Amino acid sequence: GHIPKMLDFYSQFNPSPLSIKQFIDFGLSACERKSFTFLRKELPVRLANIMQEIHLLPEHLLRMPSVGIVNNLYITSFEEIIHFEKSEINDTTLDKFCQALIKIRNRHADVVEVMAKGIIELKESHDVDAHMENNIQYFLDRFFMSRVSIRMLINQHTLLFGGVLNGHSRHVGCIDPSCDVISVIKDAYENARFLCDQYYLASPELVVKSHNDLECGNEIRIVYVPSHLYHILFELFKNSMRAVMEYYGDSDTYPPVEVTIVRGKEDICVKMSDRGGGIPRSYMDQLFKYMYSTAPQPSKSDAHTVPLAGYGYGLPLSRLYARYLHGDLVLLSCEGYGTDAVIYLKALSNEANELLPIFNKTSTKFYRTPLATADWSSSCGGGMATRQLNMG
Ligand code: W6P
């Protein structure tokens, strides 16, 4: 029918990555028509690119009810935007477009949880081999990155043109051109600490150190999306706090979580160090794996739900937020001592470009290529840890 043809058409285009500088420039020279014209093409392109990849997923996974639900959400939203393809541009069209975007954003609000449910459904009904797990990891990284980018575009348009303009704020949409990294750190710390206190009746202190040789002074500001940075930091604080509390048992003093911020020429690094006993090296890679992190959520009715519990998709998603604007998130651990988590952010706004998945021959081939067999011996038994060597 009509939709598959449109999907084929729009998936032939590559998404156009924007830099955070372009987002800002665009937001300041704010013209709703220009934004509309860009988005009515770009949103279908980004949607179609990732929708084509959904179809390449292992059949078993595609047949899971929750994956079907997600797929249908995408089809509905794609249709709704295609509707504006040839619209005459007037105030009514622009208003309807804004409303459509808000509806789409709400419709997709729980996609991460629904997708996680799909993975649980798969695990409970099938044996997942290494090849399938590898495909799912590859897909979810791309799928969630696509989602972050689409929500960013929708947020920018609706915040800039959706009516309630905040003239007093320095924000440009969801971007803070002068985002104070230390404030975000303190905010994330306080909220994680609240959960930690609730569960453990105590919490480690925070020590912040900053180095800014370039601008002499200790303030470090960056052009960034504060909500993304907050998301990453909140997740890391929860992990660090839990590690420290569990490692020190019912001692009455706890070593602080130390955060070091450094402004370099190219990168801003935020390093969070805990003394929570670290993680065995054999376990490190698992922390970023969706398959490993997927466990049924504790039911909401359970009053004793552990607030700091479970890695869930927290770490893999946090790394995607960092990578979205060409940063990264790296963990480094000394088992028996503690863990360092380093967030890398681009210091220069013209280098902070969106990193977007592209549907093409390479991505298509990935799903069809079986894992290479090992060409290094691997008799350390673990199985999971050794599989890493087999992934080519
Ligand atoms: C730990 C485990 C972990 C994961 C992510 C961030 C910090 C930490 N600390 O012990």
Side-chain angles (χ1 to χ4, degrees):
H2 181 61
I3 291 297
K5 241 171 68 188
M6 289 310 223
L7 269 177
D8 279 337
F9 175 72
Y10 279 101
S11 64
Q12 287 167 26
F13 300 92
N14 285 345
S16 308
L18 301 175
S19 69
I20 198 118
K21 186 172 184 305
Q22 285 173 305
F23 275 116
I24 296 268
D25 293 346
F26 204 81
L28 291 179
S29 62
C31 168
E32 189 171 358
R33 289 172 74 98
K34 211 173 128 193
S35 182
F36 169 81
T37 311
F38 174 68
L39 290 182
R40 76 165 158 187
K41 166 90 184 290
E42 184 64 14
L43 286 172
V45 167
R46 293 194 188 191
L47 287 168
N49 269 263
I50 204 64
M51 288 167 81
Q52 297 289 34
E53 280 197 38
I54 296 181
H55 299 135
L56 298 178
L57 283 172
E59 251 178 81
H60 290 318
L61 181 58
L62 270 177
R63 278 203 297 269
M64 295 301 123
S66 298
V67 179
I69 290 170
V70 170
N71 190 37
N72 288 335
L73 296 182
Y74 272 75
I75 292 170
T76 307
S77 299
F78 181 76
E79 263 185 301
E80 284 178 7
I81 297 179
I82 289 303
H83 187 77
F84 292 90
E85 202 180 27
K86 294 188 170 90
S87 302
E88 183 202 333
I89 311 179
N90 53 39
D91 286 358
T92 318
T93 305
L94 293 177
D95 279 355
K96 282 189 179 156
F97 188 67
C98 250
Q99 291 316 307
L101 292 189
I102 291 167
K103 202 164 131 199
I104 289 168
R105 182 173 58 206
N106 294 338
R107 174 183 296 127
H108 291 249
D110 299 329
V111 157
V112 173
E113 289 77 11
V114 179
M115 205 46 134
K117 187 155 177 261
I119 303 297
I120 292 169
E121 289 164 357
L122 176 72
K123 270 186 165 179
E124 285 176 349
S125 59
H126 297 85
D127 285 322
V128 179
D129 64 13
H131 174 66
M132 207 195 288
E133 184 179 332
N134 195 233
N135 277 354
I136 290 169
Q137 182 71 21
Y138 179 84
F139 170 75
L140 288 180
D141 270 335
R142 298 165 67 82
F143 177 74
F144 290 137
M145 187 66 101
S146 162
R147 180 172 181 275
V148 167
S149 83
I150 290 167
R151 293 179 83 76
M152 177 76 179
L153 294 180
I154 291 178
N155 286 339
Q156 285 308 97
H157 187 85
T158 55
L159 283 168
L160 289 169
F161 310 111
V164 275
L165 257 179
N166 185 351
H168 302 293
S169 167
R170 64 172 177 242
H171 286 67
V172 179
C174 56
I175 301 166
D176 185 347
S178 190
C179 175
D180 177 6
V181 177
I182 297 179
S183 305
V184 182
I185 291 170
K186 289 187 172 159
D187 190 22
Y189 168 79
E190 288 304 331
N191 290 327
R193 161 183 232 183
F194 176 82
L195 297 182
C196 187
D197 282 334
Q198 254 186 357
Y199 189 69
Y200 294 105
L201 307 176
S203 50
E205 294 295 317
L206 170 67
V207 173
V208 182
K209 293 175 182 159
S210 78
H211 301 272
N212 189 348
D213 293 345
L214 286 158
E215 288 161 3
C216 47
N218 279 332
E219 225 186 33
I220 294 182
R221 291 182 179 271
I222 182 176
V223 186
Y224 209 70
V225 185
S227 62
H228 290 182
L229 183 57
Y230 174 87
H231 184 286
I232 301 167
L233 285 163
F234 182 56
E235 182 61 31
L236 293 179
F237 273 125
K238 285 189 292 180
N239 285 314
S240 285
M241 285 178 185
R242 183 176 70 165
V244 170
M245 300 314 289
E246 298 281 339
Y247 194 56
Y248 280 79
D250 31 52
S251 138
D252 51 1
T253 56
Y254 304 94
V257 175
E258 282 192 29
V259 179
T260 310
I261 320 161
V262 189
R263 158 156 243 141
K265 286 197 200 89
E266 197 178 313
D267 302 307
I268 287 174
C269 297
V270 181
K271 181 174 76 173
M272 187 183 297
S273 309
D274 70 56
R275 282 160 59 188
I279 317 156
R281 198 161 60 95
S282 66
Y283 182 72
M284 275 301 253
D285 296 308
Q286 307 308 321
L287 294 182
F288 289 102
K289 293 209 177 128
Y290 299 99
M291 270 296 184
Y292 182 85
S293 313
T294 311
Q297 287 276 306
S299 75
K300 290 217 171 107
S301 59
D302 182 358
H304 299 284
T305 300
V306 185
L308 288 176
Y311 293 112
Y313 286 0
L315 286 173
L317 288 182
S318 292
R319 188 169 66 179
L320 290 181
Y321 277 116
R323 288 182 174 174
Y324 170 55
L325 292 169
H326 278 83
D328 207 353
L329 170 60
V330 174
L331 294 183
L332 194 151
S333 192
C334 298
E335 194 192 9
Y337 183 72
T339 302
D340 285 355
V342 186
I343 308 165
Y344 295 99
L345 306 171
K346 283 289 181 191
L348 308 170
S349 62
N350 60 324
E351 286 186 3
N353 292 303
E354 289 184 293
L355 176 65
L356 304 172
I358 301 172
F359 174 72
N360 60 17
K361 285 213 176 75
T362 308
S363 54
T364 303
K365 205 171 148 211
F366 185 94
Y367 292 97
R368 299 193 177 133
T369 307
L371 291 178
T373 45
D375 49 4
W376 289 93
S377 61
S378 58
S379 47
C380 54
M384 291 298 254
T386 57
R387 179 174 300 152
Q388 193 62 15
L389 292 169
N390 298 343
M391 302 220 273

